[in-house]
Amino acid sequence: MSAVPARSIRREDESRDRRPVDKVRALQWTLYRCAKQEPERRFHALYGHVHRMDVLWRAWSGVCANRGAPGVDGVSVDAVVASGVEEFLQDLSVRLRAGTYRPAVLRRVMIPKPGWPGEMRPLSIPTVADRVVMTAAKLVLEPVFEADFTDASYGFRPNRSAIDACEAVRVAANQRQEWVFEADIRDCFGTIDHDALMVQVARRVVDGPMLKLIRAWLRMGVLEGGVTSPTGAGTPQGSPISPLMANVALHVLDEAWQGHGRRLGTLVRYCDDFVVLSPTRERAEQARELAATVLGRLGMRLHPGKSGIVCLTRGEQGFVFLGFHHRKVESWKWRGRFYLQRWPSQRAMGVLRDKIRAATSRSRTERPVSAVVADLNPVLRGWSAYFRNGNSGRRFNAVDSYVHERLAIFASRKHGLAGRNWTTRYSQGWLDRLGVFRLTGNVHWATAHAKR
């Protein structure tokens, strides 16, 4: 084998050195490393990074990717692009440096709560400018707090997902922690006590301008029906920094389980949605008491109607967590042994059926069938990508059958054909020619018997 010439090695080294350095990523890594190495360190020079142009550009990219509706000023992302992004960000940077930046009030809209007919969820929409500054602050603050977050927390964190949280639940349940306290926090984002939250933020941040900026966002006020009302508690659901602030506040709960709460069971938390798996009912009851006490210090309460304790032993009961129904099922290989499995919950199935029904409703028969399929396929792909991680084969078959039925009925109405013999009139081959996405065959079969 011939040796590589030294000149070629030098050229490779020089080209590697010429690669552009991601300064924002380097900043985040430096902050994380410092926070990790010094658990007691309090950072006092963070605000200066928020108005850096490279940080603002990165924040703008995130806001553009999420799009979103305009705030109270009516300015959309497209309007900013049309008027000039560079000037827009320069103006934000100047105002932040000069200390003249002031957040606008939030635009309040009520949206239906998926899977809960008749219930509405309040959404608070900041302006595009505020969303950019919030995202920039999140880029700077997240590495500092990420260094403290525990393994029990999965929601809105880098390289962690809801599927990871479900896997942690599966492992704990298969290790004979068969009593589950399933918790639901009543209006978590709307009830976080501001002072309690700022105490948690101040454990790591002593930068006055940054703390002032966070307090301003917590007190922005909400415009609804032409009337502006103050926000006495909570962090606005819909703003880019709210998930981070919720994790900072609920880190107190994680710490409780790192201490004496560890003996009560395994905590798995995805932002404000969490479960505790315990070996006995008594410990599950103690876990509920501890969680209620810790949340009370933050101004939050457990929802009595949506929180409870279930038993998984031999498939007695199941519970819903992160859209999945979790239940123990007897092994087909080793009779008498039960292992936790998961599949889409009834509520998740209902939400998907509603979307399919709306896309194929009678009122849309003027549209071509191909256009309806083009609208449905992204919905089916996204739903499949999430729920394929589990034991979802039967539910996927049911969805495919429902899509087949709805599209066949839609085509029959469109062409004025009577009768219910849609299965013979519009066969599976017809669906294939249309290019309908099929869920069947897309399940990711992780071993159900693994304990770790």
Side-chain angles (χ1 to χ4, degrees):
M1 181 181 295
S2 60
V4 179
R7 184 177 299 174
S8 299
I9 297 175
R10 282 198 300 271
R11 284 198 192 118
E12 289 180 7
D13 291 340
E14 289 171 2
S15 64
R16 190 179 295 113
D17 293 339
R18 286 197 298 268
R19 291 175 187 170
V21 177
D22 188 340
K23 293 184 178 180
V24 177
R25 185 64 180 159
L27 167 66
Q28 291 181 307
W29 173 243
T30 300
L31 291 172
Y32 175 82
R33 189 175 64 247
C34 292
K36 198 71 174 176
Q37 291 174 349
E38 302 177 60
E40 302 300 322
R41 178 171 177 174
R42 303 173 75 191
F43 291 78
H44 62 275
L46 298 176
Y47 183 80
H49 299 297
V50 175
H51 54 68
R52 281 173 36 174
M53 283 300 294
D54 56 346
V55 174
L56 289 174
W57 269 109
R58 180 65 58 82
W60 168 256
S61 298
V63 172
C64 278
N66 293 329
R67 306 302 291 179
V72 292
D73 59 359
V75 177
S76 65
V77 170
D78 292 334
V80 174
V81 173
S83 62
V85 178
E86 181 75 30
E87 295 79 3
F88 173 78
L89 297 181
Q90 285 283 3
D91 176 65
L92 273 180
S93 179
V94 169
R95 286 194 286 150
L96 286 166
R97 282 199 306 270
T100 58
Y101 164 79
R102 298 292 183 273
V105 295
L106 301 159
R107 183 168 69 88
R108 171 65 56 83
V109 295
M110 304 298 291
I111 60 174
K113 207 170 182 180
W116 297 95
E119 290 194 28
M120 305 295 286
R121 172 181 293 160
L123 199 63
S124 303
I125 304 176
T127 63
V128 174
D130 289 337
R131 293 207 293 269
V132 171
V133 180
M134 287 176 179
T135 306
K138 178 177 177 288
L139 289 172
V140 175
L141 289 171
E142 187 174 55
V144 174
F145 292 108
E146 183 65 29
D148 294 334
F149 291 159
T150 72
D151 291 339
S153 172
Y154 291 86
F156 305 103
R157 294 185 59 191
N159 302 318
R160 293 192 144 218
S161 68
I163 301 304
D164 295 330
C166 289
E167 278 298 294
V169 169
R170 184 181 67 84
V171 170
N174 287 345
Q175 292 174 343
R176 299 192 176 185
Q177 299 188 56
E178 298 183 328
W179 288 90
V180 181
F181 164 50
E182 48 178 342
D184 184 276
I185 302 176
R186 175 175 282 173
D187 189 17
C188 172
F189 284 88
T191 57
I192 297 176
D193 182 83
H194 289 172
D195 291 334
L197 172 58
M198 292 307 298
V199 166
Q200 298 305 314
V201 173
R203 291 171 62 180
R204 276 300 201 172
V205 179
V206 291
D207 185 351
M210 179 65 84
L211 295 174
K212 182 180 178 182
L213 189 63
I214 296 172
R215 277 202 176 274
W217 287 330
L218 295 176
R219 299 172 176 174
M220 290 167 78
V222 176
L223 179 65
E224 186 175 12
V227 178
T228 302
S229 56
T231 50
T235 177
Q237 189 170 1
S239 69
I241 204 167
S242 288
L244 175 61
M245 291 295 101
N247 272 335
V248 170
L250 291 171
H251 178 62
V252 179
L253 183 67
D254 304 340
E255 286 184 315
W257 251 263
Q258 290 291 103
H260 60 275
R262 189 189 297 273
R263 67 178 183 84
L264 302 180
T266 300
L267 170 69
V268 180
R269 183 177 66 81
Y270 191 91
C271 200
D272 61 327
D273 198 359
F274 68 94
V275 295
V276 180
L277 294 97
S278 302
T280 64
R281 183 179 184 89
E282 290 73 22
R283 293 191 185 183
E285 294 282 2
Q286 293 171 17
R288 175 161 54 184
E289 294 173 5
L290 177 60
T293 301
V294 174
L295 293 174
R297 300 184 201 133
L298 300 170
M300 292 181 278
R301 292 186 300 153
L302 293 171
H303 196 300
K306 298 179 183 179
S307 302
I309 294 174
V310 299
C311 179
L312 301 178
T313 304
R314 303 185 69 83
E316 284 185 23
Q317 294 172 292
F319 65 98
V320 175
F321 182 56
L322 301 178
F324 286 94
H325 181 82
H326 302 254
R327 183 185 288 272
K328 284 206 166 185
V329 176
E330 187 176 15
S331 170
W332 57 268
K333 189 174 182 181
W334 294 293
R335 293 301 178 186
R337 297 186 184 182
F338 287 74
Y339 297 91
L340 193 73
Q341 295 187 3
R342 64 177 184 268
W343 50 84
S345 67
Q346 289 292 348
R347 189 169 67 186
M349 293 286 287
V351 171
L352 181 61
R353 280 195 295 267
D354 289 343
K355 292 180 180 179
I356 296 170
R357 191 182 304 114
T360 57
S361 65
R362 186 189 298 269
S363 62
R364 299 193 177 191
T365 51
E366 77 284 352
R367 304 188 67 210
V369 179
S370 59
V372 174
V373 171
D375 290 342
L376 273 178
N377 277 348
V379 175
L380 297 174
R381 283 195 183 93
W383 200 86
S384 169
Y386 181 74
F387 287 106
R388 70 188 293 265
N389 297 279
N391 310 87
S392 307
R394 291 182 180 179
R395 296 297 173 97
F396 276 20
N397 292 340
V399 171
D400 283 341
S401 297
Y402 187 68
V403 170
H404 187 179
E405 177 182 356
R406 290 298 304 178
L407 283 174
I409 293 173
F410 178 85
S412 297
R413 287 171 176 165
K414 183 176 180 64
H415 299 296
L417 301 176
R420 300 285 295 182
N421 58 334
W422 51 268
T423 52
T424 55
R425 183 182 298 149
Y426 297 103
S427 64
Q428 184 60 50
W430 174 74
L431 284 180
D432 294 339
R433 287 191 296 274
L434 283 173
V436 178
F437 179 79
R438 284 177 56 80
L439 278 70
T440 302
N442 286 310
V443 175
H444 176 64
W445 292 102
T447 173
H449 298 160
K451 293 185 179 180
R452 54 185 174 83

